Amino acid sequence: MDGMTTAGVRATARIAARLDGRGTTVLPVLESDGPLALRRTRGRGDEARVMLVGAMSGPLGGDRFAVEAGVGACARLHLGSAAATIALPGQSKGEARYDVRIDVAAGGELRWLPEQLISAQGSDLCVSTRVDLAAGARLVFREEQVLGRAGEEPGRLSSRLTVRLDGRTLLDQEVACGPGAPGGWDGPAVLGGHRALGQLVVVRPEFGERTPESRVLGESAALTPLVGPAVLVTALAPDALRLRRVLDEALAALDG
């Protein structure tokens, strides 16, 4: 573990997936750190599957968490989590950070499908995710955020997601919600009173020839082609269960 200071816990978990000589994805690096525990589980076919298991509560105020994942050429990695991540207030009044850095080489594939991030009342969390894909890489990336637990107001949550393919930016967007966020975040032009928001980014080389068309998905979700072989699904819902249902249906349609 990188250490605990008066400002909070610092921890970085690292994963590296590579293809071995038999055509199977292996994990030469699977490095847990403090509250970020990684466990290999049974995968399908030639993929490697990893679960992120929270060994402690958090992130709390002042914590600095990071996950770094690298997928080698033609390797396949599926990452999930055992439970939701809950951002909580801590003894330190400082902002907590959760940084994700992902690199996928040509022909590699990453399915990043963790459980929801819940912003509890009184928390202050900044999430930053950067995904760098080589030409020919594949990605399924799901992000779900829930503003407050049942019956409580949310904490402050800011989140930035950047996806780059072969050095070109496919997506770079930022959202901020909760106390202290720019005005109007909960208004009709943004969340419209919903408390669960999510997005799904799918990058596939075959989308370069035939990209799915823009369309509305249900009452508060939409599929939008990106500039490149990729699509973005954005969704709002009153709760985490209905948000997951919308995103699962969208992914099943894209997979099918």
Side-chain angles (χ1 to χ4, degrees), residues 41-130:
T41 61
R42 185 183 298 274
R44 297 178 180 178
D46 61 355
E47 77 170 9
R49 185 172 294 224
V50 174
M51 295 293 289
L52 180 61
V53 181
M56 295 169 53
S57 297
L60 309 177
D63 288 352
R64 299 290 185 269
F65 290 178
V67 178
E68 299 175 356
V71 181
C74 300
R76 298 176 61 223
L77 175 64
H78 180 126
L79 187 138
S81 62
T85 297
I86 305 178
L88 297 165
Q91 292 183 345
S92 170
K93 298 301 182 182
E95 173 190 77
R97 290 195 59 89
Y98 202 129
D99 297 318
V100 176
R101 298 293 179 262
I102 298 168
D103 288 280
V104 185
E109 178 179 338
L110 175 66
R111 295 177 74 89
W112 185 275
L113 299 168
E115 295 302 307
Q116 298 92 353
L117 168 64
I118 301 173
S119 174
Q121 187 171 17
S123 64
D124 185 357
L125 177 64
C126 177
V127 180
S128 173
T129 302
R130 175 166 177 150

Side-chain angles (χ1 to χ4, degrees), residues 170-251:
L170 295 180
L171 178 69
D172 190 355
Q173 65 179 25
E174 189 169 3
V175 63
C177 305
W185 65 270
D186 198 25
V190 187
L191 296 187
H194 292 93
R195 281 295 179 265
L197 60 154
Q199 52 193 351
L200 178 71
V201 182
V202 180
V203 182
R204 291 181 179 150
E206 55 266 32
F207 286 169
E209 299 179 0
R210 185 176 180 181
T211 305
E213 296 181 355
S214 300
R215 60 182 183 270
V216 175
L217 306 172
E219 296 181 357
S220 54
L223 182 151
T224 305
L226 300 177
V227 178
V231 297
L232 170 67
V233 176
T234 54
L236 300 173
D239 55 55
L241 182 62
R242 278 176 275 192
L243 176 67
R244 175 64 58 83
R245 185 181 303 130
V246 170
L247 294 179
D248 278 353
E249 290 174 354
L251 180 56

